[in-house]
Each structure stands twice: as C-alpha cells, then as structure tokens.
Amino acid sequence: LAIINSPHLEEKNFSDLFDKMGFDPALHHTYPNPTGPPNSHLHNPLKSLRYLDLSGNALGHIVCSTIFGAICSSNSSLVGLDLSNNKIGKGSSIVSILQNFSLNQTRACILERLNLASNRLGSGHLGTEIVNFVDKLKKLKALNLSDNFLSGDEHLGNNEKILLKHKLPGLLQNSTLLELDLSKNVLNSSTLSIFFAGINSKSNAATIPFLHVDGNTPSLTESQVEQLRLYIKHSRINRVSNYIQTGNVNTSTDDIDEEEIASPSNRGRRSAETYEADRVIRTGERNSAIHNSKPYVARDADENVAVLFSSPLVWKDRRTEKLRPIEMTDQELERRTLIQAFKEASVDIELSIDTCTTSRLQHTMAKRCKCLHFSSPAHHARLIFEDDRIGMQFMTEEELQQTMNPYCGSDAPFRFVFVSQVSDENTSFAAQSFLKAGVPHVVCCNKKPHDMDHAALAFMRAFYIALGRGETVKISFEIGCQAVSTASNQPVDKFKLLPEDGDHNRAIFRGDEIPGWQMSPTDASKFECLLPSRPEHFLGREVDTYSVVEYVLSRRFVSLIARVSGIGRSSLAKVVCHSIVDRFSTMSVTISQIFYIPCAVSVHSTANDNSFMHALYKQLIQAEIVTDQSAEDSGTQFEELVDRIVDALRYTKALLVFDGIEENDEAIRTQTLPYFLNILFRDTKSVRVLLVGRERITKPNLGICSFSGVGEFVYSLGPLNFKNTVRLFSMHCPHVQTIGAHERQRLQKMVSAKEGLMTSFENDTRSYDIFKALGEGIPAKILDVATHIKRDDYDRLWRNQNM
C-alpha cells in the first residue's frame, strides 16, 4: 500500500482509513500490557500488508504512532515501512510506544526496512529511541535516519546519561543490518569521533556494506571519507566470504561486486548482474566461477608511481575576504607526457594520478607508494596543496614532516620524489622539505609559467623511461639532462638532483618488461570520455570556475547565464566538468557522474522530438547505467522517456549539464524541460543540474521560483578583465607571434604595471580605449580582433604606451 506526497490529507482521513481496516485509531496510545496477553479487540490494520509507504504526507507524530503501535503488535506481518518526510519532530507519542516495546521481550517485530528520513527527529529523544528500538529487532536490514538534524547529543527519553552518540557504534555490530543511512545530519565532531572509533575498532568486524554519512554538517574530513570507504569495502568482502564459506542466506547483500566498492556513492545502482547475484544468494545456488577464480595479486608496493597534481584556482585575501585568482597551468600536457613515458618504458609499474590534497597524500603513503611525482605551483616558504573545493591550502615544512612521520617506520615513506613546480625562479623549497622529511632522492624541476615548457616535458619523458627500465637515479637524471640539451639546446640548471652530495647510484624499479603497458582505468576515465574536450587557451576564469564548482557542489540547481554572446559560457561549463572529473577522488561523495548534453542539437526540435532528452538517454546507455536501448527510438513518448531517465538516475549522484538551453526555445515553450526538471527533482535526492544559457529558466515575477521545491541559483558571467584581455589577444595575434616572445613579455609588463585586474577605468581613458579596441573583455570579440587586426593598426594601438 502506498499513499505518498499528499500533504493536503488530514489526520482524520487516515483515521477513517484505519477504522475501515478494523482498527480504532483511539487505541494507538493504549499499548497492550507488556505482562499480559495482547488486547483481543486490537485488530491490526496491517496484518495483510508486507509493505507500507506513507512518505511525504506530513502526517505528524499522532498518526505515525498509530502505525508504530500496529507494527509492534504480535500479529504484524509488515516488513517494509516508509514514513519519511512526515513532520514527526519530537514524536512523544511514538516515544511512549517504543519504550513500552522495549519492556516487552515476548513480542517479535519482523520489520526489515524502516525509513524515517527528513522528520527532524533531532528536536527530541525519538532518534535515540529509534536506535534503541533497532537493537531489539532481529531481522532489520535497512534503516534510514538521514536529514533529521541529529547531532548525537540527544539522550534516551528515560535516561539522560545514554546519548545517541554512544548508541551509534552499537549499530555497527548489528549482524543483520545491510544498509544504514545517517547522511545529511549535523553529527558533531564528538559524535563523529566516537562513530569512526567504532568503525576502526579491531573488535568490530565490518558488516554493513552500505553505510552513508555523506552531506553531514560539519563535513567529513578526507581521512574519515577514506576510512568509510575502506569499511564499506571490507564489509562487502566479509559478507561475500561468509556466504561462500557458510552458504548463509541471511548474510546476503544487494551488491557485492568488488569493482564497485571503491566509492560509497554507488548506492542504489542496480544492474542485471546485481539482480542475478541476489537470485543466487536467495536460492542458495553457488557460482562455480566464484570458487574457481584465482585471487588478484597486486604488484609489489615498490613498483608504484603516484602522481599528485595541485592546481588551486584561488586564494582568499584575509584582509578583504575576496577571492584572488591563481593562474591556471597546463597540467594536462604533463599528465599525457608521464603516461606516454611509461607506455614507452613498458615495464611492470603501476601509475596512479590523483589530486594533491593532504588526505590524498596520506592515502598515497598508506598504500606504500614508494615513488611520488609532486606537481604544484612554487612558493618560497610553503608547499601548495588543494583543499576539497579547488582552493589553495598551505603546508609548512614542519606539517609535512608530521604528516609523513606516522608512515615512516624505519624508512622514509617515499624512496624517491620528483618535484615539478611552476616558478619564474629556480626555487627548491618543496624539494628541500621532502629531503628534510627523510626522502633520500629528490629531483626538482622548475617549469615556466604561461608558456608550454618543452624542456621540462622532454626531461620528464627521458628521465622516467630510464628510471622505469631499472637505471639508477643518477643515470636517469643525466639522461634527462642530455635529452634537454639535444632537443632544445637550453641550459639544464633548472633541473636539480638533491641532495647534491648524496649517493644516487640506486635503482628505484626492477625494470621488469611487460608487453603493451596500459594505465589502469579509473571511475573518472569512464565519464571523461563522455565530455567534450577541454577548451584551448582558456584563461582568466579562475574565480568563475571556482565559484561555479562551489555552487554546483552545494546546490542542486544552478544556472550559468550571460546575455552577451561569445562571452565563454560553454567553455566555462566544460572546464567546470573537467575540473570535477579530475577530482573525483575527493568530490565523488557529492558528484560521482557527469553527463554533458549540448542542447544545440535541438535547434529544430518539436514538441515530439525532444532531442536533448534522447541525447541524455544515449549517454546513460554509454555509461552502462541503462541497458534498454529501445527508448532511443525518436518515437518514444516524452513522458515514458522521462520516467526511464529519472528511474535510472534515482539513486545516483549525477550532475546533468544542459549547455545552450537558449537554443532550445521549443523545449521551454512547450514546457518539456520544466516538466522534466519537476519530475527529476521530485523523484531524486542527489541529482544536480547545471543549465547554461542567456537567462534563468524560472520566472520569479510570475511566481515560478522553483521546481518541486528546488530553487534555481543563478551565476552571471562577466567579461574578462584588462590583463586577461591583453593575454588572450597576445596569444592569438599573428603580429605578436611574428615579433617573438619578447613582444609578448613587453605587453605583459605593460599590463602588470597597472595590475590589469580592472574592468572599470576611472580617470584612465587610454586604458579604456585599448580595452574597448581589443573587444571589451568578450573572448569571441578578442579573438576576432586578434586575427584580423592590421599591422599598422597594431603598431598604432601600442605606440608610446608607458602604462
């Protein structure tokens, strides 16, 4: 029975329903005497039901206590109950029901699934009473207490000394519980400490394969996210191992595929293989392939190279509280160079590429990766890391040593470190910091900012090919320097092998050759192939990129708008997508999949065409989220297509990007897009949408402010500032390229003298004239001017400019 999302119904409507089912609602307070027989006149209205869904009805605690009274009766056959989003609050009526049940040890409740999400249980004792109630249930498999403002300090109704925080670790020992959802609460730091102490306790075997604590306030630390991931992984392995050994059906789980246990964000995704696994476990059949398969043997820990890229976009000025940009660097070219080097070396070495945050550094050391490639901007007194939102985070020399010390043992956690840093000067602070932390061999490479540094890339390629094939650090360094001298005839003083007086006649790798080396695929690579390529010469949008990523991670519905054509909306949206994909290891808690839908394909769509929806469905097929390809037929009804898409996305943490929505006026005029957004936000909890267009889709002036209660957050994109206008112009103007690099440097110095950050030009008419002549900060106009300006006009523009 399901009666959902009907808050207009009143309490008396449900009272009439229960009365017709043979139950007097007035009896829900008079729970049977725990020491005597059950009331003979208590007719359970649910005795013929297995599942009851009353979610989204705003029932209140009185009606809900009626339901709890029924399921606690001795003749209840209910196994699934959903009372989410019902404004239960303190639930004093339910508290008394549960306290009486706790005193009665003779009654058995066969409930297997209980959903109490979004009920503000944190305002009273009910959250703690529910956890205490769960301890008495012998068959419960799934409990959802998400979005309830639970802090952990709520105490048991009749015992102020027993707090929720002290009861939570007990849930981790529940041998029947398969799914526990505590996400989107306000569990405080003390509660989280106790909870994760229970997770890490050696006396507690990991048994809950689906455990959710994401979206908490305060957010989990990256270390806690990693601990949670490992707990989930071990829980699923333990469940499968126990089943294989004992054949116990009660230890089954919904999904035991080890390929998917790397991220807790995969909850709810169910493929045909998942249902087959369920069938095998339910029927007790054994798959011979499970017993005959050989265990996976990992490479030796010494044969690993971990690459950590740090590319923060902004830093916050503490004096003004404003975000200041950090110029983007082309790390994609460095990434491809490293991959190509190991392909050419073709040796048995595992290469992993990740974001450079403090938690990922700890993760790398915990994996015992002996070789680290650290790529970051340079600083004279700090190491530069990223935070979890692409902002800048400093680490001192002492903090690095403290971070590495727990992993040292008798040796340094890394046998070798390659420091690749962007700097105008030959600074080596980061390299010296790793040396002081105990690393015996460190190579330092200073790359030029702005320009593509071919010398640095040539050095990396030659160095890693030699090192991977078993050469010593010293010989590999000399081979790298020789490659630079041969290829570019540039000085090699920016490459340093430290310590200078150290013994570097040591090989790092064995150099075992293998045919056809390939980098192991990642979750990110699966979705990166669905995205459009990164835009070239994308610059000056660091703060915009950071801001849009921040809003997308914190809000479900964001619109990136600009009324001016050619300002770079689509380019920014593509960079935002790639920025998130590059950081899936830290951002997958919020977004684990991205689908980019160019709405330009729908310029000539009709109400029955819905091309942008078919484009989305096609990407879901490519991502193997749906397998039914029949809906790709353009004749599929729009409503059916929406239902299939929403059903596929229901439990995902996907980001849908609709680019060029202004070109699909038909979808807006016929309300197909608003209809889709209404259904999507109503039936999913974690799917996010980024619309890219000229104007917002909601109409506050007409009273349309949201879709299914999800409001639209609008980010307006402005023009480039003066400095980046000149930079973009100089990159594409043939006259600048003809004169040479010194001309580009001259223009940069002219701009730097004025800071170049302004887009308003008070009392500076000459700068404004240049800004206007170059396209007023609109990238499309700037490129047009750069490619068509005549040499005489170019000379006249910059003549006598002592800015």
Side-chain angles (χ1 to χ4, degrees):
L1 174 64
I3 304 174
I4 64 173
N5 298 326
S6 302
H8 59 281
L9 296 179
E10 300 178 359
E11 179 179 337
K12 67 182 184 64
N13 299 123
F14 291 93
S15 299
D16 294 341
L17 173 66
F18 294 145
D19 182 58
K20 292 178 181 178
M21 297 175 71
F23 176 65
D24 183 0
L27 296 175
H28 69 271
H29 289 301
T30 55
Y31 192 87
N33 189 328
T35 59
N39 293 342
S40 59
H41 62 280
L42 182 63
H43 302 291
N44 190 345
L46 311 175
K47 66 180 181 180
S48 62
L49 290 179
R50 298 280 288 170
Y51 300 94
L52 178 63
D53 185 351
L54 297 178
S55 59
N57 291 313
L59 297 179
H61 70 99
I62 299 296
V63 175
C64 289
S65 65
T66 302
I67 309 300
F68 270 94
I71 66 172
C72 290
S73 64
S74 59
N75 60 341
S76 172
S77 61
L78 194 69
V79 297
L81 175 61
D82 189 341
L83 292 177
S84 59
N85 197 16
N86 270 303
K87 297 185 178 180
I88 293 176
K90 295 181 179 180
S92 54
S93 300
I94 302 176
V95 168
S96 61
I97 294 285
L98 297 182
Q99 288 176 343
N100 283 329
F101 178 83
S102 298
L103 295 174
N104 180 16
Q105 302 298 322
T106 61
R107 296 184 178 86
C109 179
I110 63 172
L111 199 63
E112 295 181 2
R113 295 181 176 275
L114 177 60
N115 187 350
L116 293 172
S118 305
N119 276 304
R120 300 187 72 91
L121 304 184
S123 59
H125 313 308
L126 184 54
T128 312
E129 291 288 352
I130 290 293
V131 175
N132 194 53
F133 171 64
V134 168
D135 288 341
K136 311 295 189 300
L137 303 183
K138 305 301 182 183
K139 295 187 177 182
L140 191 70
K141 295 181 179 179
L143 174 63
N144 190 338
L145 294 176
S146 64
D147 193 21
N148 269 304
F149 294 89
L150 297 172
S151 68
D153 289 334
E154 301 83 2
H155 63 78
L156 206 59
N158 54 7
N159 191 333
E160 295 186 2
K161 294 184 179 180
I162 300 179
L163 303 179
L164 176 62
K165 67 176 66 177
H166 299 137
K167 299 290 294 183
L168 288 180
L171 290 176
L172 301 174
Q173 303 178 33
N174 191 313
S175 60
T176 63
L177 202 59
L178 298 177
E179 180 172 11
L180 174 61
D181 194 340
L182 297 172
S183 60
K184 298 182 180 179
N185 279 300
V186 291
L187 302 176
N188 56 41
S189 56
S190 173
T191 302
L192 292 175
S193 297
I194 294 173
F195 183 74
F196 279 95
I199 281 182
N200 296 320
S201 174
K202 294 183 179 180
S203 61
N204 291 345
T207 59
I208 303 179
F210 300 94
L211 178 58
H212 317 296
V213 200
D214 49 293
N216 190 70
T217 304
S219 301
L220 301 186
T221 65
E222 293 184 353
S223 175
Q224 288 171 338
V225 171
E226 180 63 15
Q227 293 172 39
L228 186 63
R229 186 192 71 82
L230 292 175
Y231 175 87
I232 293 171
K233 173 180 179 178
H234 294 150
S235 295
R236 297 182 182 184
I237 293 174
N238 290 341
R239 290 280 181 175
V240 175
S241 299
N242 188 68
Y243 168 71
I244 291 175
Q245 294 172 8
T246 67
N248 187 351
V249 180
N250 292 330
T251 61
S252 66
T253 98
D254 286 339
D255 189 356
I256 55 178
D257 185 0
E258 190 173 352
E259 290 295 324
E260 295 186 6
I261 64 181
S263 172
S265 64
N266 283 323
R267 72 186 192 198
R269 282 187 55 188
R270 301 180 58 78
S271 61
E273 291 80 3
T274 303
Y275 287 108
E276 175 63 14
D278 288 349
R279 183 190 67 76
V280 170
I281 293 178
R282 285 197 308 272
T283 58
E285 295 179 18
R286 301 292 189 93
N287 188 338
S288 60
I290 295 178
H291 298 281
N292 297 332
S293 61
K294 296 181 180 180
Y296 171 73
V297 180
R299 291 183 175 97
D300 190 295
D302 290 347
E303 304 301 294
N304 292 341
V305 176
V307 181
L308 297 183
F309 281 108
S310 174
S311 184
L313 298 179
V314 299
W315 60 277
K316 179 174 283 190
D317 189 330
R318 294 183 179 180
R319 183 175 56 85
T320 63
E321 292 298 312
K322 290 184 178 180
L323 296 176
R324 302 297 187 185
I326 303 173
E327 292 181 6
M328 294 182 181
T329 57
D330 187 6
Q331 292 183 329
E332 180 61 25
L333 194 56
E334 182 174 348
R335 185 195 312 261
R336 293 201 300 265
T337 298
L338 292 172
I339 294 174
Q340 183 60 33
F342 284 98
K343 279 186 178 180
E344 292 185 41
S346 195
V347 289
D348 191 18
I349 296 175
E350 181 180 356
L351 178 67
S352 62
I353 299 177
D354 209 339
T355 308
C356 188
T357 64
T358 53
S359 67
R360 301 315 295 174
L361 176 63
Q362 292 173 330
H363 173 74
T364 299
M365 291 186 290
K367 286 173 56 181
R368 309 307 298 175
C369 290
K370 296 297 185 179
C371 180
L372 172 67
H373 183 97
F374 178 83
S375 182
S376 166
H379 191 273
H380 67 280
R382 298 284 191 277
L383 285 87
I384 296 179
F385 286 73
E386 289 186 19
D387 61 18
D388 58 357
R389 289 294 193 271
I390 328 184
M392 184 170 67
Q393 180 177 348
F394 281 132
M395 177 179 281
T396 65
E397 190 176 90
E398 294 73 18
E399 289 170 338
L400 177 65
Q401 294 179 22
Q402 293 172 3
T403 302
M404 294 176 64
N405 279 341
Y407 302 93
C408 286
S410 57
D411 299 315
F414 300 114
R415 185 178 299 174
F416 166 77
V417 172
F418 190 112
V419 176
S420 172
Q421 55 189 9
V422 179
S423 175
D424 282 318
E425 303 174 356
N426 285 344
T427 180
S428 60
F429 175 82
Q432 294 293 343
S433 298
F434 280 107
L435 278 179
K436 293 179 180 179
V439 179
H441 312 287
V442 179
V443 168
C444 180
C445 169
N446 288 288
K447 299 177 295 184
K448 295 179 181 178
H450 308 309
D451 296 327
M452 194 181 303
D453 195 331
H454 294 287
L457 297 177
F459 177 86
M460 289 180 198
R461 176 180 170 277
F463 175 84
Y464 274 113
I465 291 176
L467 191 71
R469 288 178 176 172
E471 297 291 351
T472 66
V473 176
K474 180 180 180 181
I475 292 178
S476 300
F477 181 81
E478 292 172 349
I479 290 175
C481 291
Q482 182 62 40
V484 173
S485 300
T486 303
S488 61
N489 197 28
Q490 293 187 23
V492 296
D493 57 342
K494 66 179 181 179
F495 306 107
K496 298 179 181 179
L497 178 57
L498 304 173
E500 294 180 354
D501 58 350
D503 180 10
H504 301 297
N505 290 308
R506 297 286 187 273
I508 304 298
F509 301 112
R510 294 191 299 268
D512 299 335
E513 294 188 11
I514 57 172
W517 181 94
Q518 291 290 333
M519 185 176 175
S520 301
T522 62
D523 290 340
S525 61
K526 180 178 180 180
F527 292 96
E528 189 172 20
C529 65
L530 299 177
L531 297 178
S533 59
R534 302 170 192 258
E536 293 186 1
H537 302 303
F538 183 82
L539 54 83
R541 295 295 191 190
E542 292 84 3
V543 174
D544 293 314
T545 304
Y546 173 85
S547 299
V548 175
V549 169
E550 173 66 23
Y551 295 138
V552 165
L553 291 175
S554 58
R555 294 171 171 85
R556 291 192 64 192
F557 184 22
V558 179
S559 285
L560 171 61
I561 68 170
R563 294 183 179 274
V564 180
S565 297
I567 202 166
R569 294 185 305 262
S570 294
S571 294
L572 178 57
K574 294 171 186 176
V575 170
V576 165
C577 291
H578 281 284
S579 297
I580 295 174
V581 168
D582 290 343
R583 296 162 177 83
F584 262 172
S585 61
T586 57
M587 293 185 179
S588 60
V589 173
T590 305
I591 297 174
S592 58
Q593 297 136 342
I594 297 181
F595 300 99
Y596 190 97
I597 303 93
C599 294
V601 299
S602 300
V603 173
H604 303 294
S605 68
T606 66
N608 295 322
D609 190 4
N610 307 311
S611 304
F612 74 99
M613 296 298 295
H614 285 280
L616 172 57
Y617 194 83
K618 184 176 182 179
Q619 289 197 25
L620 295 177
I621 293 175
Q622 290 177 300
E624 300 178 351
I625 292 180
V626 296
T627 56
D628 184 5
Q629 300 187 22
S630 61
E632 281 194 281
D633 182 4
S634 59
T636 303
Q637 292 296 318
F638 175 72
E639 291 78 5
E640 179 185 353
L641 186 61
V642 169
D643 289 342
R644 292 193 184 193
I645 290 175
V646 172
D647 188 59
L649 295 172
R650 190 179 306 276
Y651 300 107
T652 67
K653 295 180 179 179
L655 170 63
L656 308 182
V657 182
F658 294 98
D659 184 13
I661 200 65
E662 75 281 353
E663 298 184 34
N664 195 356
D665 294 333
E666 188 71 23
I668 299 175
R669 185 180 63 79
T670 60
Q671 292 295 302
T672 54
L673 181 60
Y675 173 85
F676 170 69
L677 294 176
N678 259 315
I679 302 299
L680 180 73
F681 289 135
R682 186 195 70 187
D683 292 350
T684 65
K685 292 183 178 180
S686 301
V687 177
R688 298 163 191 271
V689 172
L690 173 62
L691 297 185
V692 184
R694 293 185 180 179
E695 57 185 24
R696 64 189 304 158
I697 191 172
T698 55
K699 306 295 181 184
N701 58 323
L702 300 178
I704 306 174
C705 301
S706 64
F707 297 110
S708 294
V710 179
E712 179 182 22
F713 181 84
V714 176
Y715 184 85
S716 298
L717 186 63
L720 294 175
N721 59 39
F722 185 44
K723 175 181 179 179
N724 290 304
T725 296
V726 175
R727 284 184 59 199
L728 185 60
F729 172 83
S730 64
M731 284 183 177
H732 294 273
C733 180
H735 307 305
V736 177
Q737 306 302 326
T738 302
I739 298 173
H742 67 277
E743 175 67 3
R744 189 160 57 250
Q745 294 171 2
R746 183 179 74 87
L747 297 182
Q748 293 296 335
K749 288 180 180 179
M750 292 165 56
V751 173
S752 298
K754 295 287 293 181
E755 269 188 32
L757 298 179
M758 70 281 194
T759 52
S760 61
F761 301 87
E762 296 181 3
N763 302 320
D764 193 352
T765 57
R766 182 54 185 159
S767 295
Y768 175 73
D769 290 341
I770 295 175
F771 182 71
K772 185 176 181 180
L774 295 184
E776 299 180 288
I778 309 301
K781 291 184 178 180
I782 297 171
L783 296 179
D784 184 64
V785 172
T787 54
H788 293 94
I789 190 172
K790 296 180 180 179
R791 180 59 187 263
D792 291 341
D793 294 332
Y794 174 84
D795 293 336
R796 190 179 305 111
L797 180 67
W798 299 106
R799 187 178 299 151
N800 300 322
Q801 292 307 308
N802 298 316
M803 299 193 303

